[in-house]
Amino acid sequence: MIFEDAETLHMYVEESLEHLANIETELLEIEEAGADIDEELVNSVFRAAHSIKGGAGFMGLSNIKELAHKIENVLGMIRSREIVPNSNVVSIVLKSFDKLRDLINDIENSNDIETSEEIVALIGLTTASLPSNQKDIVLNMVDIFTPNGKKVFTVSQFDVTQAQKQGKYIYLVEYDLIKDIHQKNKTPMSVITSMQNSGIIMESKIDVGAVGSLDADVPMRIPFLVLFASIIEPDIISALVDLEDKYVHTITENLISLSKPENETSKEKESEPEFSIKTEPEIEPEPAPEVEIEPEPEPEPEPIKPKKEPKKAVAAKPKVEKVTPPKQKNKPVETIQVPEHEDMEIKTHEDEKESSMEAKSAKSSATLRVNVSLLDTLMTLAGEMVLSRNQLLQAILANDERAIEISSQRINMVTSELQEAIMRTRLQPIANIFNKFPRVVRDLTKELSKEIDLNIEGKEVELDKTIIEAISDPLTHLVRNAVDHGIESPEKRRKAGKRQTGKVTLRAYHGAGQVNIEIIDDGKGIDGDKIASAAVDKGLLTEQQVSIMSEKEKTALIFLPGLSTAEKVTDVSGRGVGMDVVKTNLDRLGGLLDIDSKVGEGTLIRIKLPLTLAIIPSQIVSVGKERYAIPQVNLDELLRIPPHLVKERIELVGGAEVVRLRGNLLPLLNLSDILDIQRVFVNPEDGKEYPDRRKKIADRRSKQSPLFYGNNENDEKEKNSKDSSDRKVSDRRFHSNSAINIAVVSAGAFKYGLVVDQLKDSEEIVVKPLGRHLKGCSGYAGATIMGDGRVVLILDVAGLAQMAGLSSMEGTDRVGEAAKLAREAEKDKKDRASLLVFRIAEDEQFSVPLSLVERIERINASDVEHVGGKRVIQYRGGSLPLIELKEVSNVKPLPQRKQHEVIVFRITGKEVGLLATPPVDAVDVSVSIDSATLRQPGIIGSAIINKHTTLMIDIFEVVKIMNPAWFDEKTNEKIMSRKSQATILFPEDSNFFRKQVKSFLEEDGYIVIEAIDGKSAWDILQERVEEIDIVVTDLEMPNMDGFELTSLIKNDERFSHLPVIALTSLASDEDQAKGKAVGIDSYMIKLEREKLLDCIKEYLSSK
Amino acid sequence: MAQTPKTYNQPKVLKSQSQALEFATFYIGEALCGIDILLVQEINRQIEVTCIPKAPDYVIGVLNLRGKIVTVIDLGKKLGLSPIRVSKYNRNIIVNSQDEHIGLVVDRISDVIITDSSKIEPAPSNIGGLRGKYFKGVYKTDRSLIGILNIENVLKEDSSNPVNIAT
């Protein structure tokens, strides 16, 4: 190795990789353009290959240089239209670039890596396209001599000829590393780059040999020789390279001689030597240190030289061969004389192995490019931070409470900004991975002989670096799947009446604070039934389980572990990594995977990813003496089951505990059991914590499902539960007041309730990795440091489920059973609604539909700020507007309290908080709502809940009165839709809901035809079918329910075109499956006004 | 060469002849052990940790060392010697291994000894086997024998300490 400077090498690697980054895309575009060459494009690839070559020569990376050089030749010929870039040519070039990337990635060993395959292929390309009489010049090497007769370079004659053809001058530039570069404060790379701007570097090297010999007169001179081809005239070249004239030599024909004897090229013209050339042999008795990497022949004065032979330089050549080889006794290599390129390659390797450099760390990837303006912002913020700290210190010294408060606020703000800015430095465009797909798809389509267009949208979307790296493999898998299994062969497509060329779309976009990535193909789609039956065959599911699954659930079975390998055999999937692995990987990142497929039409796979993994909002819980964090993305809701309801809500199904949640049964896992921790609970009498010895949380009196009782596989558990029942006699519930706290979590296919001792705050935490000794603990996603300095573990929800042996299907299983039970329970109840009940003044009770509530926060009254006539509170780095109901409706004011509850809603995409007073409670009740008596602005009506008259708040109306501007956008759309005046048929038996829904539908510009049940709706439909555009129906109705109505509509060809949206207060999976089966297009929750309107609009516009 | 090659500050190893070496020594039970002082980041009394349920048994837990999560290991258990007994003399030796900080809890800390590499003798062959590779050699003082630990081998997460995961 000539150059041992790790930093320079590092820089070279980074720069080269950057050059390589876009090459694939460009090459593919070149291929597409075919003979119709876009020169700019070719030039850009050419330049990349060229820069890599230039640097490699300098660094002594001969293998890289050689390969880059050959690529460059091919590209040069493409540019000059001597080669048509067909797919074969591009394949070779792509492969060569791949190799080049491998070499650069393993820079230390690059000289030992075999590259002959690529080189031969490239040479094949160049020779094949030349007229036969010129073929030789590709193989021929010529020697370049300094005017004083010293041979310095051996280059391909082809290059020389090409340069001359283009009217370029060839110069030999001699830099001195010390004087011309180091002392002028330049770097070698910058010199090379600047030369490349005005010409081509054909060859470069450091002439170590010259060091010794020259130090007599010019001590410490390290010549760096560059063979440079440029159109710049000889008289100004020295100014360009910033060197004295004597170090810049113009290479004329007489300084070039052919290395190989047999070839006479007519190219060589005779011209007068510009420089006097010494004729004596031996200029320097070169000691030629072995360090030399370039198989550089010693400056052994070839006595040759053109000038001796005024006729043809060629004649002298044989001498070269004869003289040099004996000189290098122990090194068999003499590049120049070897006739075949291939041989030369191999020998060069051997040579290089000897001098193979000591490894030094040049592996890059640990650095990141950051926009300077962003860096400036960071700097400013850091400055702000320091100032604030100074303020704070002063304030503390002066004991000035007011000042302390101000500076703490300031620090709070600066920290949030700093956090955001730093996060932005980590963001990278998704193009980094998207860009590799054109190549992947191209190669695959060739291999599979399919025809596929790949569309890529949203390359500029940015994601955290770690996420980008982590989704690369899952995405590749999904794309390959789409190409391999999604898109059919051209014949099949033709037969199916599709366009012969398949289409795969990759799309990335931002939505709801997350990044969405979609992979869409228009192939054959996924046949849910086929997959379900495969799963049954494999024994992964029972027929019964499959029977209650919706189409979507069946499709989602491809994520089931164990299925993908099975399919490999039946040729439905493949390649080792199954979809389950893809899913698990994405779950790790907090990503969601959604699949939507229609047989014969195609598949859409959507991935939702968080923007960053570094800082995540989390729920803190505690078990035993330790706290744990559950990432908010995994958390669905928190449940607290009061002691007197434990009996009703928690049941044993086959020995496993489940909780009843809005009609569904949810499997329960006890965190302390999974982790073997001693449970504690707080004794409400003295506020102290005691160890809790209960084995099962389900009460002995809890119901046991007859369905699963005595089931074989559960015998073991069964026994356990009996044991524990026995135990309980002596070891009773410590205190009957012990409520059960459950965090309902989900990660992909898993959804379960995690039983913990206590629920604490929600906090933003900084994720830190765990050490390598803890890698085997699958239950943790990392650790974080809390405000008190203690370390808290972050739970991996999917990992815990696996540790507990919970499979996702078990969940479905239970949900299925639960749905049955729930339906029975629901039979006699109608219009049940989940409501949030709260107070504002102590003696007035209010409620809102629970589905509209985002979350509930507790705030300090002192934190509320009055700004611009409105109340806001600083929250997660932004401002949350607060509303008191009194401002809109005639109700009693909020009492003065230290803390307020804030119910947070999300309306038209913005968050708003409603101030409230405890108790805040969620109830699941069947209510009859009186929408007349107590109606007023902001209040839609009243109902009796828990023996109190309760006012129902219309939060949309409230927000509309307070912030009319929020709805402006919506209003515009409304005007648009009025033009079309779509008509909606709306059967609904409850007066209250009918009125409510009708009023907001009409407000949005629709004409609504009411019906009191399915039967009358069906009658109306018979008479007025032309008027009706869409049906929005309740499900539970007397005479004819929504399912029946839908099934009638969908089976009658007069009406089957009508979209049917079902409105329900309880949408269990079971119901949805049933609905899908009869043809319901979409499910909406009653009173979820925004979503319903969007949904209707979507169906109408797609018609 | 115009530029001097950059090399990383590799901890000195016992390769070359008579090189001056310093060892931090400590007790695990009655056994006196030493590690190359250049590997030691710091020694503190911080042994209050967050427990990691289901972690390998030699892991005591994790702690927060100025913003870094440090895995704390019972060196006695890890070496297959007697587990560390809790006492006021317990110390946590923070070492840097593979870019990660790891805390080794020892019974008590002893002197720093200075010697040269030629005085280190190979470990007696009868501590062979698994435990043998934990030791680089032994150093004899007037009063005792000090086992010099090969920290990288000690901290290698090998299969002999299977992680307990409920299956």
Side-chain angles (χ1 to χ4, degrees), chain A residues 520-665:
Chain A
I520 308 161
D521 68 64
D522 67 345
K524 59 174 176 268
I526 297 168
D527 187 343
D529 290 329
K530 235 184 193 168
I531 288 166
S533 66
V536 172
D537 289 348
K538 283 271 132 191
L540 297 167
L541 287 176
T542 64
E543 292 277 2
Q544 188 201 358
Q545 284 170 323
V546 169
S547 65
I548 57 165
M549 289 176 120
S550 67
E551 192 61 27
K552 197 158 177 160
E553 274 178 297
K554 285 182 192 162
T555 312
L557 287 176
I558 59 169
F559 299 125
L560 206 60
L563 192 74
S564 61
T565 34
E567 283 183 342
K568 199 162 148 194
V569 185
T570 58
D571 195 29
V572 187
S573 168
R575 267 180 324 281
V577 206
M579 290 292 269
D580 58 319
V581 179
V582 170
K583 184 156 176 59
T584 320
N585 284 342
L586 290 172
D587 286 346
R588 287 267 138 74
L589 297 173
L592 295 175
L593 194 57
D594 188 31
I595 191 161
D596 206 348
S597 182
K598 278 209 178 111
V599 176
E601 287 177 32
T603 306
L604 182 154
I605 294 174
R606 186 182 294 118
I607 301 169
K608 287 190 178 182
L609 289 165
L611 289 174
T612 182
L613 294 177
I615 297 177
I616 54 172
S618 291
Q619 172 71 38
I620 310 297
V621 300
S622 77
V623 173
K625 292 188 171 62
E626 297 287 2
R627 286 166 296 176
Y628 296 88
I630 302 174
Q632 207 93 59
V633 286
N634 296 127
L635 191 68
D636 285 2
E637 59 189 306
L638 297 173
L639 283 180
R640 183 182 169 85
I641 300 188
H644 64 277
L645 285 181
V646 167
K647 185 170 75 133
E648 266 175 51
R649 298 284 295 274
I650 298 195
E651 299 172 20
L652 284 171
V653 177
E657 288 158 332
V658 295
V659 65
R660 228 165 217 292
L661 180 62
R662 286 189 289 283
N664 284 345
L665 291 186

Side-chain angles (χ1 to χ4, degrees), chain A residues 386-401:
Chain A
V386 172
L387 288 180
S388 313
R389 180 200 59 189
N390 294 348
Q391 274 183 357
L392 183 66
L393 290 178
Q394 277 174 13
I396 290 171
L397 278 181
N399 212 357
D400 178 347
E401 262 186 46

